[in-house]
């Protein structure tokens, strides 16, 4: 139980640190470019702990489902040609002041009569539209305006050049990518990973009549390796005169030698033993060269091929990898996460079927943070795996989470970082086209207009997270 809790804590702490560093990735360039940052927070909701350093409050909130920094002036004010909005804002401030003081003033030709505070009701200026979405947009602008301190009107996000805004918004995902690279370096170059060795790990006693068969019957033909006297623990030295340096090399020779007697030398108990091995032509599943997973066709049927077969399996050994293996491993993980995101609607349907219909969960499909923590705890309790490799697996999980944060935040939709990047790029294109055709500068893109769409996306993400959490409770992905 303690080991299980330890595994969960490793992932929880690792995720919290990753989120905090993601926000640091935004914070550092924002401050470097002069933007006023009011808050740096891990989590949402009520604040559990905070401390202010300089002008920024750093803290932890109660709901650990992300993090944020509060930058001044995320949205530009609305543009009205006659300046009515500016006058209306000034008028509203004066009205609020009068209400507090309980005075009666004839403020200006734009002002309404204000009664004492106990009975007063200010008449607000008429807006172009009072629709629900317009209220959301204006509330977003008002909230953004409230972050701008007097005298710091130029220290705002929306006034930055487009490339500075892109750097700020990409700072978070890039930080997650760097974390993943560091963690993969620790795992691959420090701990090492299990790889196929030239040692034989298992020997089948018979040739199975189907891929689902697990035991031998009296009518089953003896497997060629067992008939040749090969035993688990034997180490390939040479096959048919070719020195064997890798398992894949041995497999390639065996697969293309069906019906041909091969002179095999194995090392057993420190001595070389000569054997004769004749692979049998048989239909075997096609496997992926990199993952060794069984490949299926478009209909989900296992693909097969006719090859030489002897009935042996490899034993793994831990090998430290060169540093050149790090970036390809990170790239492969990025590709896998991207594929999951591109097919997310379909995969969420499959998760729903597994959660409510009892179907088997796809181990390569989406999973919630709860499910990740559960997997980490399960891995930590497997006594058959050395403790260092269990720790390595948990570190690899945290690396994978950072890759997921990197890819997910690049989606060009608000409130994700990619949405702000797309807005900055669109603004640059608009201004470039206006300059090209000698038109007036259109000014900053009003991202506040996308707030209603943002709320819809947040609702979808929330519903998806709730589905994944439920599925990870009732029908979780397991390691074994």
């Amino acid at each position: 139980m303690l080991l299980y809790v330890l595994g969960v804590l490793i992932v929880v702490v690792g995720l919290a640190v990753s989120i905090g560093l993601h926000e640091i990735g935004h914070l550092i360039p924002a401050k470097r470019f002069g933007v006023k940052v009011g808050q740096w927070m891990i989590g949402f909701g009520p604040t559990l702990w905070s401390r202010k350093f300089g002008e920024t409050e750093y803290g932890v909130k109660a709901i650990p489902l992300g993090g944020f920094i509060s930058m001044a002036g995320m949205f530009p004010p609305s543009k009205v040609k006659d300046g009515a909005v500016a006058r209306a804002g000034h008028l509203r401030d004066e009205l609020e002041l009068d209400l507090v003081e309980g005075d009666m003033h004839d403020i200006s030709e734009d002002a309404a009569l204000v009664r004492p505070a106990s009975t007063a009701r200010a008449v607000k200026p008429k807006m172009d539209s009072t629709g629900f979405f317009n209220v959301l947009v204006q509330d977003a602008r008002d909230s953004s305006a409230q972050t701008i301190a007097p005298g710091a009107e130029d220290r705002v996000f929306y006034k930055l050049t487009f490339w500075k805004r892109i750097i700020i918004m990409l700072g978070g995902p890039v930080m997650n990518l760097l974390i993943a690279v560091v963690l993969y370096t620790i795992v691959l170059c420090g701990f090492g990973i299990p790889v196929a060795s030239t040692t034989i790990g298992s020997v089948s006693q018979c040739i199975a009549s189907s891929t689902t068969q697990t035991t031998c019957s009296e009518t089953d033909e003896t497997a060629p390796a067992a008939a040749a006297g090969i035993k688990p623990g034997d180490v390939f030295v040479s096959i048919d005169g070719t020195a064997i340096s890798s398992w894949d090399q041995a497999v390639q020779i065996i697969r293309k030698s069906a019906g041909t007697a091969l002179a095999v030398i194995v090392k057993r108990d420190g001595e070389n033993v000569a054997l004769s091995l004749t692979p049998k032509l048989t239909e075997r599943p096609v496997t992926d060269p990199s993952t060794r997973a069984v490949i299926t066709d478009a209909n989900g049927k296992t693909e097969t091929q006719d090859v030489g077969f002897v009935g042996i399996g490899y034993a793994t050994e831990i090998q430290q990898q060169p540093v050149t293996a790090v970036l390809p491993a990170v790239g492969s993980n990025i590709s896998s996460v991207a594929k999951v995101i591109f097919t997310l609607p379909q995969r969420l349907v499959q998760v729903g079927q597994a959660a409510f219909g009892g179907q088997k969960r796809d181990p390569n499909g989406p999973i919630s943070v709860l499910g990740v923590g559960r997997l980490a705890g399960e891995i930590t309790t497997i006594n058959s795996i050395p403790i260092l490799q269990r720790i390595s697996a948990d570190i690899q999980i945290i690396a994978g989470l950072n890759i997921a944060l990197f890819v997910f935040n690049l989606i060009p939709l608000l409130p994700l970082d990619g949405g702000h990047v797309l807005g900055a790029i669109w603004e640059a294109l608009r201004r470039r086209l206006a300059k090209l055709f000698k038109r007036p500068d259109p000014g900053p893109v009003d991202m506040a207009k996308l707030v209603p769409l943002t709320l819809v996306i947040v609702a979808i993400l929330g519903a998806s997270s709730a589905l994944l959490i439920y599925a990870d409770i009732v029908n979780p992905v397991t390691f074994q």
Side-chain angles (χ1 to χ4, degrees), residues 151 336 449:
S336 299
K449 291 182 179 179

Side-chain angles (χ1 to χ4, degrees), residues 409-468:
N409 273 285
L410 292 181
I411 297 175
L413 293 172
L414 291 177
L416 302 173
D417 299 328
H420 291 283
V421 171
L422 181 61
I425 293 173
W426 173 239
E427 179 181 315
L429 289 175
R430 285 204 321 166
R431 285 181 157 167
R432 181 61 62 88
L433 288 174
K435 185 176 181 180
L436 181 64
F437 292 101
K438 298 181 180 180
R439 296 173 180 172
D441 186 346
V445 172
D446 190 2
M447 299 292 285
K449 291 182 179 179
L450 298 178
V451 166
L453 176 60
T454 301
L455 295 179
V456 173
I457 294 171
V458 169
I460 293 173
L461 293 177
S464 301
S465 298
L467 172 63
L468 289 173

Side-chain angles (χ1 to χ4, degrees), residues 40 48 86 89 95 134 144 165 178 214 224 229 231 243 248 300 379 399 423 429 443 451 475:
W40 173 94
L48 300 179
L95 286 172
N134 290 284
S144 176
R165 276 178 285 156
L178 293 176
T214 57
K231 299 180 180 180
D248 286 338
I379 290 172
L429 289 175
V451 166
N475 190 359

Side-chain angles (χ1 to χ4, degrees), residues 60-408:
V60 178
K61 290 184 174 287
I63 305 174
L65 295 179
F68 66 93
I69 65 170
S70 175
M71 291 184 286
M74 287 294 295
F75 301 127
S78 60
K79 295 185 295 182
V80 179
K81 292 182 180 180
D82 60 4
V85 170
R87 293 202 306 273
H90 175 67
L91 171 58
R92 181 190 60 193
D93 294 340
E94 291 188 356
L95 286 172
E96 290 176 351
L97 177 61
D98 288 343
L99 287 170
V100 172
E101 295 176 351
D103 293 336
M104 296 179 62
H105 293 293
D106 183 8
I107 300 172
S108 70
E109 61 180 2
D110 292 327
L113 181 64
V114 181
R115 298 188 184 94
S118 59
T119 60
R121 182 172 131 187
V123 179
K124 294 184 178 180
K126 292 184 70 175
M127 305 299 289
D128 293 337
S129 174
T130 57
F132 175 71
F133 293 123
N134 290 284
V135 171
L136 291 177
V137 171
Q138 191 56 46
D139 284 347
R141 292 196 186 104
D142 291 343
S143 298
S144 176
Q146 290 172 7
T147 63
I148 305 175
E153 289 80 5
D154 292 329
R155 297 184 59 198
V156 293
F157 179 78
Y158 77 86
K159 287 187 178 181
L160 293 176
T161 56
F162 82 95
W163 62 268
K164 288 183 179 180
R165 276 178 285 156
I166 290 176
I167 289 175
I168 291 173
M169 300 318 299
L170 288 182
V174 169
M175 181 65 79
N176 290 125
L177 178 61
L178 293 176
I179 293 170
V181 170
V182 170
L183 294 181
Y184 267 108
T185 301
I186 292 173
V187 169
L188 297 177
C189 305
F191 287 95
I193 58 173
V195 297
S197 67
T198 55
T199 301
I200 297 167
S202 61
V203 178
S204 299
Q205 295 304 306
C206 64
I207 298 177
S209 57
S210 69
T211 57
T212 59
Q213 183 176 338
T214 57
T215 59
C216 296
S217 65
E218 294 181 356
T219 59
D220 289 330
E221 182 181 353
T222 302
I230 294 177
K231 299 180 180 180
D234 288 350
V235 180
F236 278 124
V237 176
S238 67
I239 299 178
D240 204 28
T242 301
I244 301 301
S245 58
S246 70
W247 182 263
D248 286 338
Q249 182 188 14
V251 169
Q252 291 302 318
I253 295 174
I254 291 171
R255 288 193 166 211
K256 66 182 182 181
S257 302
T260 302
L262 300 174
V264 176
I265 297 178
V266 298
K267 187 177 289 294
R268 181 183 300 166
D269 298 327
E271 297 182 357
N272 287 346
V273 177
L275 303 170
S276 178
L277 176 66
T278 304
K280 182 176 179 59
L281 183 65
T282 186
E283 186 180 65
R284 306 304 300 171
V286 178
T287 58
D288 185 281
S290 58
T291 64
R292 302 186 188 278
V294 174
I295 297 175
T296 57
D297 60 20
N299 298 320
K301 184 179 179 181
T302 300
E303 295 185 7
T304 61
Q305 60 182 343
D306 291 333
V307 295
F309 170 77
V310 296
I312 56 175
Y314 61 84
T316 61
E317 61 182 12
I318 303 301
Q319 288 184 359
Q320 293 179 332
Q321 303 298 301
V323 70
T324 53
V326 173
L327 292 183
V330 172
S332 176
N333 201 333
I334 290 174
S335 176
S336 299
V337 172
K339 288 178 182 177
V340 171
I341 291 176
F342 283 134
T343 59
L344 191 57
Q346 174 187 349
R347 290 176 181 268
L348 286 175
V349 170
Q350 294 172 348
V351 170
Q353 292 171 342
F356 300 103
Q359 283 93 331
K360 186 177 179 181
R361 287 285 297 275
D362 179 3
N364 298 316
I367 184 172
S368 71
V369 174
L370 177 66
V372 172
R374 188 169 185 164
L375 274 177
E378 185 179 334
I379 290 172
T380 312
T381 59
I382 300 177
N383 294 324
S384 59
I385 301 177
I387 185 65
L388 287 179
Q389 292 308 304
R390 284 180 264 174
I391 295 173
S392 174
D394 285 340
I395 294 175
Q396 205 164 349
I397 287 176
I398 299 172
L401 285 173
N402 276 276
I403 291 294
L405 288 171
F406 167 71
V407 177
F408 190 72

Side-chain angles (χ1 to χ4, degrees), residues 5-89:
V5 173
L6 176 61
V8 173
L9 284 177
I10 289 175
V11 170
V12 169
V13 173
L15 181 59
V17 171
S18 299
I19 292 172
L21 290 175
H22 174 100
E23 300 306 330
I24 289 290
H26 294 309
L27 178 75
I28 291 176
K31 285 183 171 289
R32 176 65 180 83
F33 296 142
V35 178
K36 184 179 183 297
V37 181
Q39 287 184 316
W40 173 94
M41 291 287 171
I42 297 177
F44 302 99
T47 301
L48 300 179
W49 171 89
S50 70
R51 182 162 298 181
K52 195 166 187 177
F53 296 95
E55 63 183 12
T56 305
E57 179 188 11
Y58 301 83
V60 178
K61 290 184 174 287
I63 305 174
L65 295 179
F68 66 93
I69 65 170
S70 175
M71 291 184 286
M74 287 294 295
F75 301 127
S78 60
K79 295 185 295 182
V80 179
K81 292 182 180 180
D82 60 4
V85 170
R87 293 202 306 273

